[in-house]
Amino acid sequence: MKSISNSIKIMIIVIAVIILAGIIMIFAKGYNYSLLYSKADRMNIYMSKDFKIDEIEEIAKEVLGTNKLKVQQGNTFGTVVSIVSDEITEEQQNNIIQKLNEKYEIEINKDSDIVLTKMPQANVWDLLAKYISPLVITTIIILIYFVIRFKNQGIIKCLVIPALSVIIVSLLYISIIALVRIPVNEFFAIFLVLIYFLTIICNTIKLSKEQL
């Protein structure tokens, strides 16, 4: 029992250190956002001919001198190509236009066929905003269910521990993402919601077994 107790203490200390380090990292450096969620330039180009994404990506890499870029179809009609990179200078825009004109034998007009957009830095809380209210409501409903079904196990086991476990696991997840510098993208919130439900399921299984 003493060995188990010591193991739990060590685990609590490790988790606390990771969460604290993660919070410090978030305030010091913030998150490592993926290209589409970081501060970047988006160059939308109207193409009068069919194009291949990989060919335009090759041109963009050559001109911009970086692999940190994203080339994708800019609309559903396949007439616009979108190039996203940290920075696209006016000279680089001109070089891309020139190479596309030569490659596809077209005449891209910089004034009418090009739209350059400055993409602002995303905020992780904005990515989570639409999930917060549903998760809070779901948590309240689940905790009420726990209190009703497992009330004989006491408030601490059926209410406090499940609530704390959800908070701690969520903090651990966002801290690890910050520390390891995993790029934050559209999957960040999805994985957080998945972890949330797995934690709830684990709590339900644990309480059900202790109920027997």
Side-chain angles (χ1 to χ4, degrees):
M1 182 65 71
K2 185 177 179 181
S3 175
I4 295 175
S5 179
N6 287 337
S7 298
I8 292 175
K9 286 179 182 178
I10 291 171
M11 185 175 66
I12 291 172
I13 292 171
V14 170
I15 291 173
V17 169
I18 292 174
I19 291 175
L20 180 60
I23 292 172
I24 293 172
M25 177 63 76
I26 291 169
F27 279 102
K29 287 189 174 182
Y31 284 97
N32 176 30
Y33 291 93
S34 65
L35 180 61
L36 295 181
Y37 288 89
S38 61
K39 187 177 180 181
D41 288 343
R42 179 189 292 273
M43 183 180 179
N44 286 341
I45 309 168
Y46 171 75
M47 301 287 289
S48 56
K49 280 188 177 181
D50 291 339
F51 58 88
K52 293 182 179 179
I53 292 294
D54 57 343
E55 291 177 347
I56 296 181
E57 185 173 359
E58 187 179 339
I59 290 173
K61 285 180 179 178
E62 180 185 344
V63 173
L64 300 176
T66 178
N67 287 323
K68 192 175 181 182
L69 56 83
K70 180 74 174 178
V71 179
Q72 57 191 11
Q73 188 172 300
N75 64 3
T76 55
F77 303 104
T79 57
V80 175
V81 62
S82 178
I83 301 173
V84 181
S85 186
D86 289 342
E87 183 183 20
I88 305 176
T89 65
E90 188 169 353
E91 182 181 354
Q92 289 170 333
Q93 291 178 56
N94 293 332
N95 288 338
I96 290 173
I97 292 169
Q98 181 183 344
K99 289 184 179 296
L100 289 177
N101 285 337
E102 293 172 357
K103 176 73 176 178
Y104 294 102
E105 297 180 347
I106 55 179
E107 192 64 39
I108 298 173
N109 187 304
K110 189 175 180 181
D111 295 326
S112 59
D113 298 332
I114 302 292
V115 177
L116 187 70
T117 306
K118 297 287 184 181
M119 298 169 58
Q121 175 72 58
N123 188 313
V124 70
W125 305 116
D126 292 336
L127 298 178
L128 296 175
K130 64 181 179 181
Y131 297 97
I132 292 176
S133 294
L135 287 180
V136 169
I137 294 171
T138 302
T139 302
I140 292 172
I141 293 172
I142 290 172
L143 290 177
I144 291 173
Y145 166 75
F146 282 173
V147 170
I148 294 172
R149 182 178 173 184
F150 306 111
K151 60 183 178 181
N152 62 315
Q153 297 186 39
I155 293 296
I156 292 178
K157 278 191 175 182
C158 67
L159 184 62
V160 177
I161 292 177
L164 282 176
S165 66
V166 168
I167 294 171
I168 290 170
V169 170
S170 299
L171 287 174
L172 186 62
Y173 168 73
I174 64 176
S175 295
I176 290 173
I177 294 294
L179 288 170
V180 182
R181 310 307 291 165
I182 297 173
V184 172
N185 54 30
E186 63 272 20
F187 296 108
F188 173 82
I190 295 173
F191 281 121
L192 181 58
V193 172
L194 178 61
I195 288 170
Y196 163 84
F197 280 111
L198 287 174
T199 305
I200 292 295
I201 291 170
C202 288
N203 275 288
T204 305
I205 294 172
K206 183 176 180 296
L207 287 168
S208 296
K209 284 183 176 180
E210 292 179 356
Q211 183 85 332
L212 299 177

